[in-house]
Amino acid sequence: MKKRVLSGIQPSGVIHLGNYLGAMKQHIEMQDSGTHECYFFIADLHALTTVKDAKRLAEMTHDVALTYLSLGLDPEKTTFFKQSDIAEHTELAWILSSVTPMGLLERAHAWKDAVEKGTKEKTVALFTYPVLMAADILIYKPDLVPVGKDQKQHIEITRDIATHFNSHFGETFNQPQELTPESVAVVPGTDGQKMSKSYGNTIDIFAPEATLKKQVMGIVTDSTPVEQPKDPSKCNVFALYKLLATPTEIAALEAQYKKGGFGYGEAKKLLLAKLLEVFAPARKKRVELEADRGYVERVLQMGADRARIEARKTLDEVRKKIGTRP
Ligand code: ADP
Ligand code: TRP
């Protein structure tokens, strides 16, 4: 039997290279493997914890969908939908919140981080974020949840919540496992920190060529003069190149660094060319898809119709177990 896979991505900003290598690439590979039954969705209700602008949320949702479809998501093979289209997620979230101890959420890194740094508005939704995420997951009873490393704890919380529910109401939910990409730990941004939209250090794979060039040329490097040998392991440009190039190309660039007489500007040009080469098919596809404004909406509607059938099955089972539908 095919393993069921589920994952979500927030439409809280333009998708960057870190999101692609850390999450989307793996999703699309799983779809293409033919051995997984995939459910991927856009977590627009989760994005509401940060985006409070209707036009922007709608635009970002459309943008994430276009990005996924351009990068190879096939809506015939994958059930691809928008979280808010399936009201069953929020009903299940409420039910799950009634078996979730406060302490479990108080220990969540994302919440603690937001409180300590004061970077996000401390709303009830930000606190209960992992409960909605648990509902997103458990309602489809998936085997695997491919996510970036930063989401691992949320999957652990999901398993805890499933256990609490089962112990109160009887065996209902399985224990989904997270799947974090081994090959890509954290994609560095142009300043060497983790690439993140909140740090303004992203490489935006669908940006116009001039913008992409500006981002690549702006990668921070040290001040080793051109003629001197350079240590590739300490260079952000090399770190990014390594994530995209073939082993032969990587070895060639490494040799150039070590030999000396090769400036960072040259390395940046190679990286830019590589980005344009790797993403050329996706960039072309995106232009084609953009021409049909209604396409994305139709795809998401079709996905929601499929997802809802599964979500309703689980919710009906849950309603019987808790006594709201005897
Ligand atoms: P951002 O940090 O830009 O706000 P998100 O937190 O919305 O990105 O992340 C969306 C997905 O992309 C998550 O699964 C996350 O693990 C992955 N991701 C984001 N940034 C990186 C990165 N620099 N390296 C690897 N994966 C990343
Ligand atoms: N919290 C995830 C993120 O920020 C997005 C998400 C919401 C998710 N619900 C999910 C991921 C369910 C996997 C499964 O990246």
Side-chain angles (χ1 to χ4, degrees):
M1 228 184 40
K2 283 189 179 183
K3 284 211 155 128
R4 185 173 285 188
V5 172
L6 171 124
S7 195
I9 198 152
Q10 285 193 62
S12 48
V14 169
I15 298 296
H16 53 71
L17 185 66
N19 301 139
Y20 173 65
L21 294 173
M24 281 186 168
K25 184 168 184 247
Q26 201 187 7
H27 298 168
I28 291 161
E29 282 168 1
M30 293 183 107
Q31 162 197 282
D32 291 341
S33 73
T35 51
H36 297 92
E37 182 198 5
C38 298
Y39 282 74
F40 297 133
F41 70 94
I42 305 177
D44 54 348
L45 292 176
H46 274 118
L48 201 54
T49 56
T50 50
V51 185
K52 279 157 176 105
D53 176 330
K55 193 161 164 266
R56 189 169 156 75
L57 186 63
E59 271 171 15
M60 284 299 129
T61 302
H62 187 85
D63 190 81
V64 172
L66 256 182
T67 299
Y68 251 129
L69 294 162
S70 309
L71 288 163
L73 186 138
D74 178 347
E76 297 294 332
K77 289 189 196 156
T78 290
T79 302
F80 182 47
F81 62 101
K82 197 166 76 175
Q83 182 186 34
S84 61
D85 278 338
I86 315 295
E88 285 75 4
H89 289 216
T90 43
E91 183 174 337
L92 182 60
W94 175 260
I95 296 168
L96 295 179
S97 75
S98 67
V99 296
T100 305
M102 287 281 282
L104 189 60
L105 302 184
E106 280 161 352
R107 285 192 296 276
H109 304 314
W111 168 253
K112 284 201 294 192
D113 231 47
V115 172
E116 271 164 32
K117 293 193 183 141
T119 45
K120 286 187 181 162
E121 203 186 342
K122 260 171 54 184
T123 56
V124 173
L126 191 66
F127 182 66
T128 58
Y129 183 112
V131 183
L132 179 58
M133 185 155 161
D136 295 338
I137 298 171
L138 297 174
I139 207 161
Y140 299 103
K141 304 191 175 180
D143 303 292
L144 297 170
V145 186
V147 283
K149 286 209 167 65
D150 58 336
Q151 295 296 316
K152 195 166 177 257
Q153 193 196 22
H154 285 150
I155 316 298
E156 287 159 7
I157 294 175
T158 298
R159 285 196 292 269
D160 270 350
I161 294 179
T163 305
H164 283 294
F165 185 92
N166 291 351
S167 68
H168 282 286
F169 299 109
E171 201 56 30
T172 309
F173 296 117
N174 63 326
Q175 295 272 301
Q177 298 300 312
E178 68 274 8
L179 195 75
T180 50
E182 284 309 319
S183 51
V184 182
V186 174
V187 178
T190 54
D191 58 357
Q193 291 188 78
K194 171 190 172 228
M195 187 179 291
S196 168
K197 61 182 164 285
S198 22
Y199 302 148
N201 63 357
T202 59
I203 289 184
D204 301 332
I205 49 192
F206 290 104
E209 209 170 313
T211 310
L212 200 57
K213 183 172 178 190
K214 215 168 142 208
Q215 291 176 339
V216 171
M217 293 301 160
I219 297 175
V220 176
T221 50
D222 63 26
S223 52
T224 318
V226 174
E227 57 282 2
Q228 271 183 35
K230 298 174 181 64
D231 181 353
S233 70
K234 293 209 175 84
C235 178
N236 294 328
V237 184
F238 187 78
L240 289 167
Y241 189 78
K242 246 175 106 172
L243 296 170
L244 300 165
T246 64
T248 323
E249 290 167 333
I250 298 166
L253 185 61
E254 192 170 3
Q256 297 262 51
Y257 268 75
K258 290 186 174 157
K259 198 166 72 181
F262 178 81
Y264 289 123
E266 291 300 309
K268 288 178 182 175
K269 279 189 199 146
L270 283 176
L271 174 62
L272 177 63
K274 184 47 67 189
L275 280 161
L276 288 169
E277 176 199 321
V278 168
F279 293 106
R283 290 168 67 94
K284 182 164 167 271
K285 179 133 187 232
R286 191 179 170 110
V287 175
E288 287 163 18
L289 296 181
E290 268 170 342
D292 180 357
R293 202 50 207 175
Y295 177 70
V296 168
E297 286 314 311
R298 290 198 301 277
V299 162
L300 292 176
Q301 268 311 319
M302 179 179 87
D305 290 344
R306 286 194 340 221
R308 201 173 292 113
I309 295 171
E310 285 305 300
R312 283 198 176 149
K313 267 196 234 160
T314 307
L315 194 61
D316 279 344
E317 182 190 349
V318 167
R319 285 166 173 163
K320 284 187 193 116
K321 292 230 162 108
I322 62 170
T324 56
R325 180 166 301 171

